[in-house]
Amino acid sequence: MPRIIRAQTAAHSKAETPVATVNTPIKTVHQTNRRHSEGTHILIRNNRFSRNETAMHAVPSPFDEMPFLWGSAIAAYQCEGAWNEGGKGLSEWDYFNAIDWMNVNGVDARVASDFYHRFEEDLDLIAEGGQNALRLSLSWSRILPGGTGRANEEGLSFYDRVIDGCLERNIEPNVVLLHYDLPYPIALKGGWGNTSIADAFGDYARICFERFGDRVRLWSTLDEPQFYSYNANIAGVYPPCRKADVHSYLQWQYNEMLASAKAVAIYHEMNLPGAIGVVHNDSLIEVATGTNNPAEVYTAADFFNNRMILCPALEGRLPPELDEMLEKLGTFLYRVPDEAEAFAAGKGDYLNLNVYARRYVTDWNNSPTSAKVDSVGGGATMEGQAVAPLYETLVDPSVPHNQWGREILPRIMHDSLMDIKERYGNPIVLTENGHGSLETPDDSGYVEDDDRIEIIGAFLKSLSEARNEGSNVRGYYIWSAMDLYSWVNGYKKRYGLVRVDFDHDLIRIPKKSWAWYRDFISRDAARRADA
């Protein structure tokens, strides 16, 4: 018999607008105590698919030697620029952004924040801001211009300088092998739709481990493989821009996690002194009160948004419910013969978790599979999804939304961390959390981003509550270190602690939040020293 905890607010109302839903048989659910202050919902956790003996193992040794990591994050394509310099090859995003009718905001990342030429200045600002960590990604196209074959020494040397620059400033580099920017020659062969990409990615990973593994102790294979596939195959806003293609959406994730597993196995075989995992964009599932089949809806939404990543990454296996879900969705996967061995050998050491928003779900209401996203800003579109015939999301009128229609609900930081702890184990590093906004600087270029300070401060309070309750969080990174190219949102959507003036020589100007974060880190260190 499920135990259900309901919010202490008004009942599920007609003001909640269906945007997207699931029906999956489930036998046992359980509920953990939690605080509710927004909306009305049911949280369900499924014993059938909960933590077991295959969950990720104990805290890897690198964390025992590190203080708590307070940092910020960037990604190669979004900040480096120098798109055709230093021997770099063409990436899928370079090609995509050059197609006028596909580029909705009319901008690209050929220059971006020019981190390629200005990384010393950016690392100085990170260090001066009291941060002791940086999450960055490598460009596969900069290291292997053809996607495979001979490595580009200029590209490797660039990342040598960046990594060494971090270490010289006592900044711990947390390196992601790929953050969306697939080499164009790999895309020509089907990209993530082709299972052979796993071997190509493994070869690329080995080159990176051999070159940087003596200095980099924290690694991630892929950034947000589920979210990457969702935007490419369901929302249709990332290349190759397929819409509502459930088969490709799931096939990509299968191939991504097969590639991740191969890279993890190679890293472990090399016996390097560090830890490796994957970056997952967590989608905490909360079921609205009034849902007719809450257990089935929860299981299906969790599978669709989380399980294809978390099970391979943390348990070394595909989700046990995979075939059941494929049958309900009316689709299938092309699978390799040795998948069980490959995934078992590719279980990660820890999880990098990005926390922004939940999925607030209810029964399917006969809507076709679809996604609602806003690539322009202005608040006209609320984020949401429908997954036929399984579930759909609701807009919760009690929760504020940002200018791109995404919920602002800081207490989910605590809830996501405790959910991962109870179902999969520890440790966790929060590799992204932040607030995007349209900003107006004063005449000197300074931005008083009080909204960012307030929202991130609330997320950090929620993080502290989770740490106090036993979540073994080892680090937190704000997205992002500086303003950068925000994919199809272009440059108007800003996340940075440092303003980049894209119209005037890319001048860097620390925002109010940069100093606030510096002081927060200092106070946290003093508080823990006195404890």
Side-chain angles (χ1 to χ4, degrees):
M1 181 71 179
R3 288 198 301 119
I4 295 172
I5 294 180
R6 303 174 189 273
Q8 299 175 2
T9 56
H12 179 69
S13 70
K14 294 180 180 178
E16 295 169 325
T17 307
V19 184
T21 311
V22 173
N23 292 323
T24 304
I26 189 169
K27 296 179 181 177
T28 308
V29 294
H30 78 277
Q31 175 69 39
T32 57
N33 291 328
R34 60 200 288 143
R35 298 168 304 284
H36 301 296
S37 58
E38 304 86 3
T40 303
H41 64 270
I42 305 165
L43 176 74
I44 299 172
R45 293 198 178 124
N46 187 354
N47 281 335
R48 179 177 164 204
F49 307 133
S50 61
R51 187 181 179 189
N52 59 46
E53 67 279 359
T54 66
M56 63 177 156
H57 46 74
V59 178
S61 59
F63 291 109
D64 295 334
E65 303 166 4
M66 297 177 188
F68 191 86
L69 300 174
W70 290 110
S72 52
I74 55 175
Y77 185 78
Q78 294 180 265
C79 73
E80 283 181 7
W83 73 285
N84 62 350
E85 296 182 45
K88 180 184 174 295
L90 195 69
S91 80
E92 182 178 42
W93 276 85
D94 293 322
Y95 181 84
F96 169 71
N97 273 332
I99 303 171
D100 291 343
W101 60 88
M102 299 302 293
N103 192 330
V104 296
N105 279 300
V107 295
D108 58 40
R110 292 187 174 196
V111 176
S113 311
D114 199 27
F115 181 79
Y116 186 83
H117 297 108
R118 300 169 184 253
F119 73 87
E120 297 276 7
E121 178 184 1
D122 291 325
L123 294 181
D124 282 342
L125 285 168
I126 290 167
E128 291 165 11
Q131 301 170 47
N132 63 359
L134 173 67
R135 200 209 75 180
L136 68 154
S137 73
L138 308 178
S139 167
W140 188 346
S141 300
R142 196 175 293 285
I143 291 173
L144 285 172
T148 60
R150 185 183 295 252
N152 171 32
E153 180 58 33
E154 283 189 81
L156 291 168
S157 295
F158 166 68
Y159 291 117
D160 276 333
R161 296 193 298 276
V162 173
I163 291 166
D164 290 343
C166 286
L167 297 176
E168 288 164 4
R169 295 166 174 82
N170 295 315
I171 298 170
E172 187 76 38
N174 184 335
V175 173
V176 185
L177 291 169
L178 182 70
H179 191 134
Y180 301 176
D181 51 335
L182 194 68
Y184 183 62
I186 299 289
L188 282 176
K189 298 176 182 178
W192 289 110
N194 185 340
T195 55
S196 68
I197 194 175
D199 291 326
F201 185 76
D203 293 341
Y204 160 62
R206 186 183 295 276
I207 290 170
C208 297
F209 299 151
E210 289 175 346
R211 183 64 172 246
F212 312 121
D214 60 329
R215 287 158 290 160
V216 175
R217 297 187 291 176
L218 298 179
W219 291 89
S220 297
T221 53
L222 300 168
D223 181 80
E224 300 180 332
Q226 178 274 335
F227 190 66
Y228 179 20
S229 182
Y230 180 79
N231 281 300
N233 297 300
I234 301 295
V237 293
Y238 290 2
C241 300
R242 302 184 181 104
K243 291 184 182 293
D245 185 345
V246 173
H247 169 75
S248 294
Y249 169 72
L250 295 171
Q251 186 69 58
W252 270 43
Q253 290 179 73
Y254 176 90
N255 293 343
E256 286 171 315
M257 294 314 294
L258 185 65
S260 176
K262 286 183 179 290
V264 169
I266 290 168
Y267 185 80
H268 288 157
E269 287 167 7
M270 295 175 70
N271 226 2
L272 292 166
I276 189 167
V278 72
V279 180
H280 177 56
N281 179 61
D282 187 57
S283 293
L284 181 76
I285 306 301
E286 294 187 336
V287 179
T289 302
T291 298
N292 293 323
N293 299 293
E296 291 87 345
V297 165
Y298 175 87
T299 299
D302 195 36
F303 169 80
F304 197 80
N305 291 280
N306 297 308
R307 298 276 289 171
M308 284 294 290
I309 309 306
L310 294 179
C311 288
L314 305 182
E315 298 180 346
R317 61 175 183 169
L318 291 167
E321 68 272 28
L322 175 60
D323 288 342
E324 179 184 352
M325 291 291 108
L326 290 174
E327 182 177 0
K328 286 179 178 294
L329 290 163
T331 191
F332 69 102
L333 296 177
Y334 293 104
R335 297 162 72 164
V336 299
D338 62 344
E339 66 176 28
E341 295 81 1
F343 286 120
K347 183 171 66 174
D349 302 317
Y350 75 114
L351 176 65
N352 287 302
L353 197 67
N354 296 351
V355 175
Y356 289 100
R358 64 175 176 169
R359 294 290 185 196
Y360 186 53
V361 298
T362 190
D363 304 293
W364 181 55
N365 193 31
N366 297 311
S367 301
T369 296
S370 62
K372 290 188 176 181
V373 297
D374 186 345
S375 299
V376 179
T381 300
M382 297 292 105
E383 280 191 344
Q385 61 183 214
V387 181
L390 303 178
Y391 71 94
E392 59 189 56
T393 59
L394 296 174
V395 173
D396 186 342
S398 71
V399 176
H401 292 70
N402 71 10
Q403 292 159 305
W404 289 264
R406 174 174 287 176
E407 284 191 342
I408 300 173
L409 192 56
R411 60 103 173 140
I412 68 164
M413 175 71 79
H414 165 275
D415 298 345
S416 292
L417 290 172
M418 299 310 293
D419 184 56
I420 295 293
K421 174 184 181 293
E422 292 159 14
R423 298 173 66 195
Y424 299 101
N426 283 313
I428 301 169
V429 174
L430 267 301
T431 39
E432 280 188 35
N433 173 242
H435 176 63
S437 62
L438 302 171
E439 297 176 347
T440 302
D442 65 18
D443 292 341
S444 67
Y446 181 68
V447 173
E448 293 195 27
D449 50 343
D450 293 311
D451 57 339
R452 177 171 293 112
I453 291 170
E454 179 182 357
I455 291 166
I456 292 179
F459 271 107
L460 287 171
K461 180 181 178 183
S462 188
L463 167 64
S464 178
E465 291 171 355
R467 292 176 72 186
N468 291 338
E469 292 175 29
S471 177
N472 195 4
V473 184
R474 296 305 185 103
Y476 172 90
Y477 299 73
I478 284 181
W479 182 264
S480 54
M482 81 288 283
D483 289 337
L484 33 66
Y485 173 77
S486 193
W487 304 110
V488 291
N489 294 290
Y491 293 99
K492 291 183 179 179
K493 187 178 188 180
R494 293 176 180 257
Y495 282 91
L497 294 171
V498 174
R499 176 175 173 80
V500 176
D501 190 335
F502 295 107
D503 298 320
H504 299 94
D505 198 31
L506 303 166
I507 295 170
R508 272 69 165 151
I509 305 170
K511 302 177 188 178
K512 186 176 181 179
S513 59
W514 176 88
W516 168 84
Y517 189 43
R518 176 199 61 201
D519 296 343
F520 177 92
I521 294 169
S522 177
R523 289 194 303 271
D524 180 79
R527 183 165 56 248
R528 294 190 179 277
D530 293 339

